Amino acid sequence: MAKKMQYSKEEEKVLNFFFTNLDKPIFVTKNFHPEVWALMQARYSRSREGLRESFLSLLKEEPENFEKLKEEIKNLEGGIKSKHAIEKAIQFMEKWVLGYGHSSIAEGAVVGLGLEGISILATKKIEDNRLCSFIEKSTRYVSFDNSSVYIDEDLKNSEYYEEIKSLLDFLFEIYIELHEPVLEYVKKVAPCEEGVTKAAWERACAARRFDAIRYLLPTCTKTSLGWTVNARQLAHTISKLLSSPLKEMNMIGEMLKEETSKVLSSLLKYSDKKEYFIKTEKEMKELAKKIKIENENVENVVLVRSSENPDEMIISSILYRYKNEPFEKILEKVKIMSAKEKEEIFDSYLKNMSDFDWPMRELEHVQFTFDIVMDYGAFRDLQRHRICTQTNQIFTADLDYDIPKDIINAGCADRYKEAMERVKKLYYKIKDKYPLQAQYILSLGFKKRFLITMNLRELYYFIKLRTTPLAHESYRRIASKFYEIMKSKYPLLSKYIICNCSQEELGRLKSEEKTERAKKLL
């Protein structure tokens, strides 16, 4: 999976102090200050290096401090006393966590993990967890190539293996081929204006180029992921991975359990595959096959369900915070209020927000469920809204694919469509025999359905964040549609939602300029 690096003995001694291994693609960090771990995790987003190599490079930038660190590690007192204390702590944890079933204790044990050389498809399984923090290698800032793809074992042993290899080579050939023409087009329509830092402009242009050509990347592309998670959530994730019908997920689950048990030995003892997951998945698939539903084209974003009388619920919840009466009595009062009275309460509650404020928690008492059709690349971004309740369908080619405008305008549409049609043809050739494994060959430009339920507070956050000019065009359209629907159906509740509809040729430019100014202050 991950490329094996060569280190000197002194470097190994330092790295072994901070990581559970130096030669495997999955490892656990240790002895990290929380702020240092946050920094290192963030580096995954912008670097092709692995975390261990990146960390070592960072340390060696200050040779004098690096020498001091080596000496401190050498002089550390571990030995029998330390080992004895750890064993006693584990015995205590086993007594309370395993003997008494207080698994919530596991939430206090937080680890930082690096996962390298796993497929994009696998990251979506791992990130399907609420109480975690992730940063993944970005398709916007990092170029990919066919030297690093995961081919499922079943596909590798199938009669389609040679065709799959040929297809992946072709996809990356087109991906690389489109680098320059799309970048040239972007620079043509968004030239570097007077007063703009050229380095910032170059990065903004490159980001827009990558935003377009990422649609070609297959989900078997290997990537890296920084993951901060507590032991309770980790145990649940490991069980899900071990219970998956896909071999890559099983392998990741086994490696996660092996590595994290080195630092959380008592808390992960029962994180095994679950018959509940396995049997339910199998039986529900068979049951669903028997239920015939006529398929028809619908809008890409549909509000399918919302809380009953959400205006009254929100106004009542706001008043509840500042009154000392039962909710039902407050709701009765709100129901007979005029629209003007309700608006006055809502205004008083939200009008003082600044650009850096978010609504308080009373807006969480109503829910909205949207059914979305979007490209897989956009799904990767929107899935990160972990506070939402999310349900995914299997990734297929049935909903066809999107074509980015920049690829069309750069004159590359024919080559792009040639690649995507070739993907579609092979997908349908292998999907009947390998429906789950066939997901690996689909490019990020193919579309999928995604059911997401969020409260009003999250909607405020979601729409504001995902409609900024620096947002990707694909999910920006989705967030804008959310706003249109909410404004039409619930004008009062949407009154303070910020939806940025402005158009900028280089949405990343202001952010990159800010980075350049910050560099000068260092």
Side-chain angles (χ1 to χ4, degrees), residues 455-512:
N455 60 54
L456 183 61
R457 189 184 189 206
E458 173 65 10
L459 259 173
Y460 267 68
Y461 173 76
F462 181 97
I463 293 171
K464 181 179 179 180
L465 177 68
R466 298 303 182 182
T467 59
T468 61
L470 58 81
H472 193 285
E473 176 188 4
S474 179
Y475 60 70
R476 199 178 185 208
R477 288 195 302 268
I478 293 168
S480 296
K481 187 64 178 177
F482 276 20
Y483 177 68
E484 290 173 17
I485 292 170
M486 291 298 296
K487 189 177 179 182
S488 171
K489 290 181 176 289
Y490 308 105
L492 174 60
L493 298 184
S494 305
K495 186 175 180 180
Y496 290 90
I497 294 178
I498 296 173
C499 180
N500 190 334
C501 298
S502 63
Q503 296 296 322
E504 297 178 14
E505 289 291 353
L506 290 177
R508 289 288 315 168
L509 185 57
K510 289 178 181 176
S511 177
E512 297 295 351

Side-chain angles (χ1 to χ4, degrees), residues 37-51:
W37 167 241
L39 166 67
M40 296 312 301
Q41 183 177 232
R43 286 172 75 93
Y44 266 140
S45 176
R46 304 292 181 97
S47 174
R48 291 177 67 94
E49 280 189 311
L51 192 146

Side-chain angles (χ1 to χ4, degrees), residues 130 364 384-390 453-455 457-458:
R130 183 169 281 156
E364 295 179 15
R384 294 171 188 161
H385 290 262
R386 293 178 296 281
I387 197 170
C388 304
T389 299
Q390 307 175 12
T453 299
M454 61 182 74
N455 60 54
R457 189 184 189 206
E458 173 65 10

Side-chain angles (χ1 to χ4, degrees), residues 99-365:
Y100 289 83
H102 291 175
S103 57
S104 60
I105 294 174
E107 293 181 11
V110 177
V111 291
L113 298 105
L115 293 88
E116 299 175 359
I118 65 173
S119 72
I120 287 176
L121 189 72
T123 65
K124 296 301 98 189
K125 184 75 171 179
I126 294 164
E127 292 174 11
D128 187 22
N129 290 288
R130 183 169 281 156
L131 302 177
C132 316
S133 178
F134 306 96
I135 294 187
E136 187 180 341
K137 183 180 291 185
S138 174
T139 55
R140 172 176 272 181
Y141 305 109
V142 181
S143 181
F144 293 80
D145 58 55
N146 64 345
S147 65
S148 187
V149 294
Y150 171 82
I151 300 182
D152 176 83
E153 189 177 317
D154 291 330
L155 295 180
K156 194 176 288 186
N157 295 326
S158 74
E159 64 270 36
Y160 307 113
Y161 178 51
E162 292 302 324
E163 287 183 87
I164 290 169
K165 280 203 307 179
S166 176
L167 170 66
L168 296 178
D169 286 342
F170 185 66
L171 279 175
F172 281 101
E173 176 187 324
I174 303 300
Y175 174 79
I176 298 298
E177 180 184 310
L178 266 55
H179 270 59
E180 287 307 313
V182 175
L183 182 60
E184 286 177 13
Y185 166 74
V186 171
K187 289 183 174 181
K188 181 180 177 181
V189 297
C192 188
E193 298 178 354
E194 187 176 347
V196 172
T197 308
K198 188 167 184 185
W201 174 74
E202 291 278 3
R203 288 198 302 272
C205 288
R208 177 168 163 179
R209 176 264 311 274
F210 281 130
D211 275 353
I213 65 173
R214 80 172 188 180
Y215 282 63
L216 287 158
L217 292 173
T219 63
C220 64
T221 305
K222 289 183 180 179
T223 185
S224 299
L225 179 73
W227 182 17
T228 304
V229 60
N230 68 54
R232 188 178 192 178
Q233 185 75 63
L234 176 61
H236 178 66
T237 305
I238 290 172
S239 291
K240 286 200 300 184
L241 291 166
L242 293 176
S243 305
S244 170
L246 288 172
K247 290 182 172 60
E248 183 191 16
M249 311 304 171
N250 302 157
M251 178 176 60
I252 293 170
E254 289 164 1
M255 294 178 74
L256 281 172
K257 187 171 183 179
E258 178 186 352
E259 290 303 314
T260 54
S261 292
K262 295 176 182 178
V263 290
L264 299 170
S265 58
S266 68
L267 298 174
L268 301 174
K269 192 166 283 187
Y270 296 106
S271 54
D272 299 314
K273 66 179 180 180
K274 294 185 180 294
E275 288 301 311
Y276 164 59
F277 292 155
I278 297 169
K279 289 181 178 178
T280 302
E281 186 78 4
K282 185 177 180 180
E283 291 174 12
M284 285 306 304
K285 282 180 180 176
E286 292 303 313
L287 179 60
K289 286 179 184 177
K290 300 175 184 177
I291 301 172
K292 303 300 180 183
I293 299 173
E294 288 188 19
N295 197 0
E296 59 182 50
N297 292 327
V298 295
E299 294 289 328
N300 285 343
V301 179
V302 179
L303 176 63
V304 295
R305 194 75 67 236
S306 62
S307 298
E308 186 178 356
N309 300 319
D311 291 39
E312 293 174 353
M313 184 67 185
I314 289 295
I315 300 301
S316 300
S317 299
I318 292 170
L319 286 177
Y320 183 86
R321 178 172 182 165
Y322 302 101
K323 299 289 289 181
N324 195 23
E325 282 81 33
F327 182 81
E328 286 296 328
K329 291 296 181 182
I330 296 172
L331 181 59
E332 287 176 11
K333 183 68 174 178
V334 170
K335 284 181 177 180
I336 60 174
M337 284 182 178
S338 66
K340 185 177 180 181
E341 288 175 311
K342 293 176 185 176
E343 187 170 14
E344 182 182 2
I345 294 169
F346 198 68
D347 286 345
S348 297
Y349 184 71
L350 293 174
K351 67 182 181 182
N352 296 313
M353 285 194 304
S354 72
D355 288 343
F356 300 100
D357 292 324
W358 301 103
M360 290 180 278
R361 295 199 66 179
E362 283 63 46
L363 267 61
E364 295 179 15
H365 286 290

